[in-house]
Amino acid sequence: KPDRCDSDVYINQKMDVTELVKYIQRKKANGEELTYFHAFVTALGKVIYNRRKLNRFIANRHVWEHKEIVISFVAKETFSDKAEEIMIMVPFNENDNIYTIAKLIKDKVEKVRGAKKAKKEGANSAIDIIGKLPNIIRVPLVGFLKWLDKFGMLPQDLMKDNLYYSSMIVSNLGSIKCGAIYHNI
């Protein structure tokens, strides 16, 4: 959609997660590092895997399907307002379960938080560079990149860690004690 507000989708749904809470508590009591976020990402990945039509999107008036199932989220280097944000993409495979997804998420987040300054790659790096350019250069450059993307010619480096190439974007709002929000994407 050309305008953000054209893509609005609103939902507020309550789910009974009593058994999930018990399961996570049991696992934590046994020393396993599982979180609700790990469980939700795993469940979302399984749903998309079993309902392939959910992995479709519309671009340039055509319906496309992602080749892979990838769930993305943002990780901050530290828990502070000024900390760098890095887009993390978690590929989902048929045999993945809560343990494989939890390990993948933990490894990727530790990589971001473990370095003094996380090495940005792909879209994460490009956004920083393009964002520093003056408007007179940035606006036509972004237009050109959008044109390349429209015809499938966007360089692979700009697709790496690019949230628009993921099946779904999730936010861990529980980590900041925030309830559900409505967002254009």
Side-chain angles (χ1 to χ4, degrees):
K1 299 285 186 171
D3 298 313
R4 281 183 163 207
C5 62
D6 293 342
S7 300
D8 283 349
V9 176
Y10 298 99
I11 187 170
N12 187 0
Q13 185 174 358
K14 293 183 187 232
M15 292 185 222
D16 181 3
V17 293
T18 306
E19 294 304 313
L20 174 62
V21 170
K22 291 176 187 174
Y23 177 79
I24 297 292
Q25 287 173 343
R26 274 195 319 270
K27 295 301 177 181
K28 284 187 176 186
N30 291 336
E32 297 181 52
E33 292 183 43
L34 293 179
T35 67
Y36 300 117
F37 187 70
H38 298 148
F40 288 124
V41 169
T42 303
L44 291 168
K46 287 286 187 186
V47 167
I48 295 171
Y49 184 82
N50 289 304
R51 302 287 187 267
R52 293 302 246 193
K53 288 183 179 179
L54 292 174
N55 207 19
R56 292 182 178 170
F57 63 99
I58 297 173
N60 303 316
R61 298 185 179 134
H62 294 285
V63 177
W64 304 89
E65 186 169 327
H66 292 285
K67 291 178 181 145
E68 298 176 297
I69 297 170
V70 178
I71 299 177
S72 300
F73 63 95
V74 173
K76 291 182 85 70
E77 286 181 344
T78 61
F79 284 110
S80 72
D81 291 342
K82 296 192 187 249
E84 285 284 334
E85 295 177 344
I86 306 286
M87 180 60 64
I88 292 182
M89 299 179 74
V90 178
F92 197 90
N93 299 306
E94 176 183 9
N95 298 321
D96 278 329
N97 57 46
I98 192 168
Y99 298 105
T100 60
I101 293 299
K103 181 174 180 356
L104 191 56
I105 290 172
K106 283 189 269 186
D107 290 349
K108 287 181 175 260
V109 170
E110 284 174 9
K111 185 177 176 186
V112 167
R113 295 197 178 136
K116 283 262 189 240
K117 183 79 172 156
K119 183 181 183 292
K120 290 186 175 185
E121 301 173 322
N124 283 315
S125 175
I127 289 168
D128 284 353
I129 294 166
I130 293 170
K132 292 175 185 172
L133 297 172
N135 279 350
I136 196 163
I137 297 170
R138 184 178 63 238
V139 172
L141 177 60
V142 169
F144 177 67
L145 293 173
K146 286 168 72 174
W147 181 85
L148 287 174
D149 188 35
K150 182 176 183 174
F151 294 102
M153 298 185 295
L154 193 65
Q156 286 292 323
D157 263 6
L158 294 179
M159 289 191 231
K160 184 177 184 195
D161 298 327
N162 187 330
L163 65 100
Y164 293 107
Y165 291 91
S166 61
S167 306
M168 181 180 293
I169 305 159
V170 295
S171 297
N172 188 357
L173 300 176
S175 67
I176 58 170
K177 312 270 190 283
C178 178
I181 61 169
Y182 298 124
H183 196 279
N184 65 295
I185 53 174

